[in-house]
Each structure stands twice: as C-alpha cells, then as structure tokens.
Amino acid sequence: ADGHRIGLATDTGGGSSFSMLRTMAAAYEAAQHHGTALHASQLLWLATAGSARTLHLQDEIGTLAPGYYADITVIDLTSTSAIAQRANRSGSVWEDVFATIMMGDDRAIRDTWIAGAATATWVPAFAQVYSAQQRLPANTCTQTSPARAMPNARAFGLTMLR
C-alpha cells in the first residue's frame, strides 16, 4: 500500500450495503482471509481520514479539527442487547467499537450532523466522522498499528452511550 491512498466507501454497485459499519466489518473479514487482523482504530481511520485522503479532501473532511466540515456520527456502543452484553465484559473502548463494527446496524447510529447541521435520519457518507467527547491516549493502538499505516489514535474520538 506504500504510496497508495486507501479508504472505505459504501456503494451497492461495488458492494452489498450502504452501511459503513457493515463495510468496515467486510474489510476486517477480507483482511483476515489474507492473514491480517485490522484493529478497530484502523477500520475507523479507513472509513474517515483514509477516505478523505483518497478523495484528496483531507484538508476539509475526515477528521474532527478546527476548520474542517463538522460531519459527525454519534455511535451507540450498546445499541442491541448482544452488543451491550459484550460491552459489559469488555476491557477497553476499542473492544466496544469492534463489537459494534462487527455486529452493529442502523440502530447503532444515534445521531448525525453534516457540515455542522443535525440531520433527521442517518445518511450514509463516504467519510463519516465519529463524535468526540474525550480524546483517547496516544498509545491506544501503537502495538497493532504501524505508524505509516495509521495516524495517531487521538484523531479518533468516540461518544460512548450506555
């Protein structure tokens, strides 16, 4: 992947779902078939900053930062009874995120904003950004994510709704 821009997108012409959660799960499964285990933070990066970079829009979208469009998705990490049960036994927020990626559906999408404006319904977008309530420690993913493949984990924030 050196020198290539890589992201994730939804399109039923090239896939089977408009759900970014389902697309991230499919990416995880495809990587597993090739002997690579993607971390939840890598999947989020591919769906957000990676997709923005692929479209040459990394200076406008894909990251929660001043001057960027405020495209925000709030994800409920306990949206179903199965996911909530898993969250009750998890050891980290990343385990909760992974469970939601693998088992989540539209019930996990609690709220969305596009360009800073609240939306009435969930709108699949090529570069969703996950809402920030607090920043995660910088070393959250360093053991599973090579630096050139994934930026600092602090680029991702999550609103965990329990």
Side-chain angles (χ1 to χ4, degrees):
D2 288 337
H4 296 282
R5 296 171 182 259
I6 299 172
L8 293 177
T10 62
D11 181 354
T12 57
S16 59
S17 176
F18 282 124
S19 168
M20 188 55 79
L21 291 172
R22 185 63 220 129
T23 300
M24 286 187 282
Y28 176 82
E29 293 163 355
Q32 283 286 95
H33 287 297
H34 293 282
T36 300
L38 293 174
H39 190 275
S41 62
Q42 291 171 301
L43 294 166
L44 285 176
W45 185 85
L46 287 167
T48 57
S51 293
R53 187 171 174 255
T54 299
L55 296 168
H56 301 276
L57 294 172
Q58 67 271 13
D59 296 329
E60 298 177 33
I61 61 172
T63 302
L64 290 175
Y68 284 56
Y69 287 102
D71 295 341
I72 301 168
T73 301
V74 177
I75 298 177
D76 183 349
L77 298 179
T78 59
S79 61
T80 68
S81 59
I83 294 172
Q85 181 180 16
R86 172 80 190 267
N88 288 333
R89 294 181 296 172
S90 76
S92 75
V93 68
W94 290 117
E95 289 180 26
D96 297 342
V97 171
F98 182 74
T100 298
I101 288 170
M102 298 307 292
M103 300 186 297
D105 56 26
D106 59 330
R107 293 172 288 179
I109 308 304
R110 183 59 70 92
D111 208 353
T112 59
W113 290 269
I114 297 176
T119 62
T121 59
W122 177 62
V123 178
F126 55 82
Q128 294 177 336
V129 179
Y130 296 83
S131 177
Q133 186 172 42
Q134 61 182 358
R135 291 201 178 263
L136 301 173
N139 62 356
T140 302
C141 304
T142 54
Q143 293 182 351
T144 58
S145 306
R148 73 175 198 275
M150 195 197 104
N152 189 318
R154 288 180 295 169
F156 303 111
L158 301 168
T159 298
M160 181 189 269
L161 302 172
R162 289 187 184 248

